[in-house]
């Protein structure tokens, strides 16, 4: 039993995040149906019918064509795959459905389409009438063919052109060499099942396989190394590992590809309260999810409990992802967790994420190190272990006017930040920007001066995570922010005096 507990007022939301629906509602069921040697009926003589016949024959079906004068397109198709076609030079009739598993027709009229549809239904055969959705029990999607890897895209008949556009995008992501890798996977499957038991070791092999495949290069040159990996894995101790993954500031599109692969490979995910649902949606559905949120000024999970939970899970052979908001190495307590786990013999990997300061700069359209105004950038915590400003900060250095300073977790210490910086000689007119919920749809921003910083924090509020940016790079932030993302924008003259800017996205 885990010692981690959930906050009562967060229990329902946490339950939903830990146990998402494995499959959301589907317009259609995606099914890959084996047709090799099976009888299918194709009624029609047109070019459209010929294309469906070619597709069915490519899948190994025995295609029975019913039609008298076949389109010229059939000649080309039957020349390539003639052995799989049987031509009946007559119209379709009720007896043609016997023994068939699929029936397809190219009907000119609604009446002919309905007759074919009803006859197929009566015979218990799945039916599709080309370009007549009302008489279709199934649909043909746009396909990306890297057989034995086949990708099919459906828009439920709503927008075939859109489906084709998606297919073209996927085509660029799956080079033809993927076909060779899929064939290699088929040939290795029996060996993998023989030597690696179902569970973490077997999944680890396939993760290695996937990483090798997408790294590029021919499949045949990698086969020996993959076989060695299988036999080396037999001798592994069964101890798991922990991967610290940066979830970024919230927008799932800011995740790295490596972070997504880690989420897809995890057995258990321990995630922070600030990690967005969109990021969690990219995780493997079978992975257990545990909320281990720590929020300033609120009841939170203790770090010792989180450490103990990671150790217990990894010692049991689990692949644990510790999913942290932002970057694990920037105010993410990664150092404490790495030291603890390595002390107990648990291997730790780190996958960096986009830290919130970088997302803030992108959102405001500024450079944190603009060479005309800032020769360095400093990330400072506004919240120590004791819940106040750290006593060890060199405030004279922090007040350097040629430095951009970003305060993390400084919402409740904003007044003290202003007092300390001004006491070290920083001008009260120094530009300041505040951003909350950076990169998220409910984000907000405020721009003003150092003197008005406490007012800005009061307007932004304390319930959401904020970043405070101090420095001359924020001087022209109004000109940098995309006006399309600002609702009811305040004129620049008002912004300079400390008025809020509320932004969406």
């Amino acid at each position: 039993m885990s010692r981690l507990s959930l906050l009562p007022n967060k229990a329902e939301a946490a339950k939903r995040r830990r146990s998402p629906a494995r499959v959301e509602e589907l317009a259609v069921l995606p099914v890959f149906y084996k047709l090799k040697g099976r009888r299918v009926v194709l009624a029609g003589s047109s070019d459209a019918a010929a294309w469906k016949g070619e597709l069915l024959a490519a899948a190994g079906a025995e295609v029975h064509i019913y039609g008298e004068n076949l389109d010229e397109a059939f000649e080309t198709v039957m020349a390539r795959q003639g052995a799989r076609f049987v031509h009946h030079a007559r119209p379709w009739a009720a007896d043609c459905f016997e023994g068939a598993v699929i029936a397809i027709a190219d009907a000119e009229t609604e009446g002919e389409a309905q007759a074919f549809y009803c006859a197929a239904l009566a015979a218990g055969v799945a039916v599709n009438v080309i370009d007549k959705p009302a008489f279709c029990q199934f649909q043909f999607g746009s396909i990306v063919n890297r057989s034995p890897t086949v990708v099919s895209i459906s828009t439920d008949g709503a927008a075939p052109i859109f489906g084709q556009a998606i297919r073209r995008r996927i085509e660029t992501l799956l080079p033809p060499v993927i076909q060779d890798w899929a064939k290699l996977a088929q040939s290795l499957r029996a060996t993998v099942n023989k030597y690696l038991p179902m569970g973490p070791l077997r999944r680890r092999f396939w993760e290695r396989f996937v990483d090798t495949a997408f790294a590029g290069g021919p499949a045949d040159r990698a086969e020996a190394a993959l076989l060695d990996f299988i036999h080396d894995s037999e001798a592994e101790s069964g101890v798991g590992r922990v991967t610290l993954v940066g979830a970024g500031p919230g927008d799932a599109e800011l995740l790295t590809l490596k972070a997504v692969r880690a989420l897809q490979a995890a057995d258990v995910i321990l995630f922070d309260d600030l990690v967005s649902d969109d990021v969690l949606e990219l995780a493997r559905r079978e992975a257990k999810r545990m909320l281990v949120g720590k929020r300033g000024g609120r009841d939170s999970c203790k770090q010792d409990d989180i450490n103990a939970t990671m150790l217990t899970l990894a010692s049991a052979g689990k692949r644990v992802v510790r999913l942290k908001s932002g970057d694990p190495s920037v105010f993410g307590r990664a150092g404490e967790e790495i030291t603890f786990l390595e002390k107990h013999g648990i291997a730790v990997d780190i996958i960096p994420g986009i830290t919130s300061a970088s997302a803030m700069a992108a959102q405001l359209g500024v450079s944190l190190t603009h060479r005309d105004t800032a020769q360095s950038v400093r990330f400072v915590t506004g919240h120590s272990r004791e819940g106040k400003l750290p006593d060890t900060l060199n405030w004279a250095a922090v007040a350097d006017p040629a430095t951009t300073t970003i305060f993390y977790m400084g919402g409740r210490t904003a007044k003290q930040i202003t007092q300390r910086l001004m006491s070290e000689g920083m001008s009260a007119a120094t530009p300041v920007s505040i951003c909350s919920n950076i990169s998220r749809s409910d984000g907000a921003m405020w721009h003003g001066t150092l003197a008005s910083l406490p007012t800005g924090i009061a307007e932004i509020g304390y319930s959401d995570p904020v970043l405070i940016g101090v420095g001359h790079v924020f001087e022209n932030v109004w000109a940098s922010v995309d006006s399309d993302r600002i609702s009811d924008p305040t004129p620049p003259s008002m912004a300079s005096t400390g008025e809020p800017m509320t932004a969406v996205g």
Side-chain angles (χ1 to χ4, degrees):
M1 175 73 76
S2 168
R3 289 189 287 167
L4 297 174
S5 60
L6 300 176
L7 307 182
N9 61 332
K10 297 267 186 175
E12 285 303 315
K15 183 178 179 181
R16 289 193 297 270
R17 298 176 81 190
R18 288 183 302 167
S19 305
R22 292 180 63 153
V23 181
E24 299 296 337
E25 185 174 338
L26 292 169
V28 292
L29 179 67
V31 173
F32 293 89
Y33 192 16
K34 290 187 179 296
L35 287 177
K36 189 172 183 179
R38 310 293 295 276
R39 176 188 170 93
V40 300
V41 171
L42 180 59
S45 307
S46 65
D47 179 72
W51 160 237
K52 290 295 189 288
E54 183 174 10
L55 192 63
L56 294 165
E62 183 183 282
V63 185
H64 288 256
I65 307 167
Y66 289 84
E68 296 181 281
N69 300 313
L70 299 182
D71 189 276
E72 291 182 1
F74 271 103
E75 296 180 8
T76 302
V77 172
M78 295 175 73
R80 287 198 297 263
Q81 300 171 315
R84 293 179 178 172
F85 288 93
V86 179
H87 180 211
H88 304 269
R90 65 178 177 88
W92 68 271
D95 63 344
C96 73
F97 298 107
E98 186 175 350
V101 293
I102 287 176
I104 299 168
D106 187 12
E108 293 185 4
T109 68
E110 292 291 310
E112 183 183 349
Q114 185 173 13
F116 185 87
Y117 177 78
C118 292
L121 285 185
V125 179
V127 59
N128 174 288
V129 180
I130 299 170
D131 290 335
K132 289 183 169 53
F135 301 110
C136 293
Q137 286 184 299
F138 65 92
Q139 302 158 352
F140 289 88
S142 296
I143 66 168
V144 178
N145 186 7
R146 301 289 187 265
S147 188
T149 298
V150 179
V151 181
S152 182
I153 303 104
S154 168
T155 61
D156 193 25
I161 298 298
F162 186 45
Q164 293 167 17
I166 295 172
R167 175 185 58 78
R168 290 193 295 271
R169 291 286 185 95
I170 296 175
E171 289 269 10
T172 64
L173 296 174
L174 297 179
V177 72
I178 289 297
Q179 184 173 28
D180 297 332
W181 283 95
K183 290 177 179 177
L184 178 59
Q186 280 186 325
S187 68
L188 291 177
R189 191 170 192 83
T191 303
V192 172
N193 292 347
K194 178 180 179 181
Y195 290 103
L196 300 181
M198 185 175 292
L201 286 181
R202 187 181 296 181
R203 190 164 63 251
R204 198 170 306 161
F205 167 79
W206 289 116
E207 288 160 7
R208 171 66 66 88
F209 182 96
V210 169
D211 288 343
T212 307
F214 282 98
D220 55 357
R221 294 184 186 177
E223 183 172 2
L226 289 168
L227 286 170
D228 288 342
F229 182 82
I230 291 173
H231 298 298
D232 291 344
S233 296
E234 286 185 276
E236 289 193 14
S237 64
V239 175
R241 63 191 306 117
V242 174
T243 303
L244 308 183
V245 175
D251 186 348
E253 292 187 354
L254 296 179
L255 279 179
T256 65
L257 293 175
K258 197 168 185 178
V260 174
R261 286 203 297 270
L263 289 172
Q264 288 289 320
D267 296 309
V268 184
I269 299 170
L270 277 63
F271 63 96
D272 284 346
D273 193 43
L274 297 179
V275 173
S276 71
D277 289 341
D278 289 342
V279 169
L280 287 171
E281 276 298 308
L282 298 173
R284 191 168 72 96
R285 291 291 175 182
E286 295 81 5
K288 182 178 181 181
R289 304 177 184 196
M290 301 177 68
L291 172 61
V292 293
K294 299 190 297 295
R295 296 289 294 272
R298 305 181 190 179
D299 291 336
S300 302
C301 296
K302 295 180 180 180
Q303 186 63 50
D304 288 345
D305 288 344
I306 297 172
N307 291 347
T309 300
M310 289 191 293
L311 175 61
T312 299
L313 293 168
S315 298
K318 304 295 185 183
R319 299 199 70 171
V320 181
V321 162
R322 176 72 175 94
L323 188 60
K324 295 172 173 284
S325 178
D327 184 280
S329 301
V330 179
F331 304 123
R333 300 192 185 181
E336 299 171 44
E337 294 175 354
I338 292 168
T339 299
F340 175 84
L341 292 167
E342 290 185 342
K343 177 182 176 181
H344 290 85
I346 302 299
V348 182
D349 299 315
I350 304 174
I351 299 176
I354 291 179
T355 190
S356 297
S358 296
M360 177 184 188
Q363 185 164 303
L364 297 179
V366 301
S367 168
L368 297 179
T369 54
H370 194 297
R371 61 182 180 178
D372 294 336
T373 53
Q375 282 66 61
S376 63
V377 62
R378 178 182 282 110
F379 297 162
V380 177
T381 179
H383 186 91
S384 69
R385 286 178 181 268
E386 293 75 28
K388 60 181 182 178
L389 281 175
D391 296 326
T392 54
L393 281 177
N394 182 345
W395 285 98
V398 175
D400 178 8
T403 296
T404 300
T405 302
I406 307 295
F407 288 92
Y408 287 66
M409 302 169 289
R412 299 183 184 279
T413 56
K415 184 176 181 179
Q416 292 92 323
I417 290 171
T418 296
Q419 292 170 344
R420 294 300 300 266
L421 290 175
M422 291 177 63
S423 70
E424 294 293 341
M426 179 171 277
S427 169
T430 303
V432 171
S433 287
I434 306 171
C435 288
S436 71
N437 287 334
I438 296 165
S439 84
R440 305 185 189 217
S441 60
D442 58 348
M445 57 183 77
W446 177 95
H447 180 62
T449 63
L450 180 60
S452 59
L453 171 58
T455 300
I457 283 291
E459 293 176 359
I460 286 287
Y462 301 94
S463 59
D464 296 314
V466 299
L467 251 63
I468 301 170
V470 180
H472 292 285
V473 299
F474 301 106
E475 186 88 50
N476 299 314
V477 73
W478 263 103
S480 303
V481 176
D482 184 350
S483 61
D484 289 341
R485 291 180 296 166
I486 302 176
S487 61
D488 190 21
T490 307
S493 59
M494 294 180 66
S496 64
T497 62
E499 293 296 323
M501 303 187 300
T502 302
V504 177

